[in-house]
Amino acid sequence: MASVEGSRTPARSRRDPERRAPRQDKYSVLLPTYNERENLPLIVWLLVKSFSESGLNYEIIIIDDGSPDGTKDVAEQLEKIYGSDKILLRPREKKLGLGTAYIHGLKHATGNYIVIMDADLSHHPRFIPEFIRKQKEGNFDIVSGTRYRGNGGVYGWDLKRKLISRGANFLTQILLRPGASDLTGSFRLYKKEVLQTLIEKCISKGYVFQMEMIVRARQLNYTVGEVPISFVDRVYGESKLGGNEIVSFLKGLLTLFATT
Ligand code: GDD
Ligand code: MN
């Protein structure tokens, strides 16, 4: 038995296209920006550093929504510095929301894995190698950064903001039982085809998008791995989360509760 296997294996793997032309994994980072002029150069530098040091193949896609602060000009400079194969600026005319920014960015992604994260340094690129390790460990469809498990945490938020986030997670856990610990976080790694399938099913446009994605992922039986992350509140600029986003979150939550 062992000898049969032994003699067959080399012949089979020689014919295997994966062996002749091994496909290298490529990671496409989607970076949505709205008024992130001060943060963008630093986050891009950290990303480039982290990916180069780990010898990974990557691209960074910047989706700027017509930021009045000139973020787009900064992105153009970065494209020149690092090369247009590494930094891809794919802007839109005006502020159309976080959810649709990812949809737009995904259309331009050439990687087989997609990383989504904030551009304001709240999500540190040093966690990305951990996401990748986790993904490989269980061949997970999604790896989600979590602030609410293990060593994860939030730094710099006031009580009001903490309550909003905890409240949103708590309500969703009760109503939808999605079985992940951080439902509203937006630091995640997806297999590209998984993200594509999920995005087609998602109806929300704003911040509630993250929650809908993870809820739908569970419904479709995708596997989710979690990595504890620390979320550090931004130093430069302001959060775009306002009352409108909270209302859309509640609407989205109730819609999902009623329809799924
Ligand atoms: N292109 C585009 N269009 N980008 C946007 C838009 C938009 O309409 N709105 C926000 N962004 C970008 C910001 O520039 C930033 O890079 C990222 O999306 C997150 O926006 P913030 O305004 O910094 O969000 P936050 O810090 O209040 O919220 C964080 O925590 C939430 C709750 O956990 C984010 O991680 C949210 O995604 C998360 O839901
Ligand atoms: Mn932020």
Side-chain angles (χ1 to χ4, degrees), residues 145-240:
T146 175
R147 296 163 291 182
Y148 301 130
R149 240 184 83 180
N151 294 326
V154 171
Y155 302 89
W157 270 359
D158 60 14
L159 183 65
K160 182 180 156 206
R161 189 60 212 264
K162 281 185 183 157
L163 285 176
I164 292 172
S165 180
R166 285 285 189 176
N169 273 281
F170 181 73
L171 269 180
T172 310
Q173 295 288 2
I174 300 258
L175 291 180
L176 302 173
R177 308 206 165 273
S181 59
D182 192 341
L183 309 167
T184 54
S186 51
F187 196 2
R188 294 180 185 158
L189 171 78
Y190 289 89
K191 286 181 181 168
K192 188 189 195 177
E193 66 276 8
V194 168
L195 184 58
Q196 258 155 351
T197 308
L198 280 170
I199 268 182
E200 281 162 26
K201 303 233 179 304
C202 272
I203 49 175
S204 46
K205 296 189 167 48
Y207 280 50
V208 57
F209 177 83
Q210 310 296 357
M211 181 274 278
E212 184 176 355
M213 290 288 279
I214 213 88
V215 167
R216 298 217 183 264
R218 285 295 181 176
Q219 288 164 354
L220 296 175
N221 287 323
Y222 285 131
T223 52
V224 182
E226 293 192 309
V227 170
I229 58 153
S230 31
F231 177 102
V232 183
D233 195 22
R234 60 165 72 238
V235 175
Y236 296 108
E238 295 174 350
S239 162
K240 283 92 210 172

Side-chain angles (χ1 to χ4, degrees), residues 32-36 63-65 92 95-98 101-102 117-120 122-123 147 157 161 165 182 184-186 207 210 231 233-234 238-241:
T33 57
Y34 190 75
N35 288 346
E36 304 292 359
I63 308 109
D64 184 61
D65 271 3
R92 300 188 296 178
K95 193 170 188 300
L96 296 169
L98 200 47
Y102 296 123
M117 66 192 293
D118 296 347
D120 60 354
S122 285
H123 296 147
R147 296 163 291 182
W157 270 359
R161 189 60 212 264
S165 180
D182 192 341
T184 54
S186 51
Y207 280 50
Q210 310 296 357
F231 177 102
D233 195 22
R234 60 165 72 238
E238 295 174 350
S239 162
K240 283 92 210 172
L241 182 108

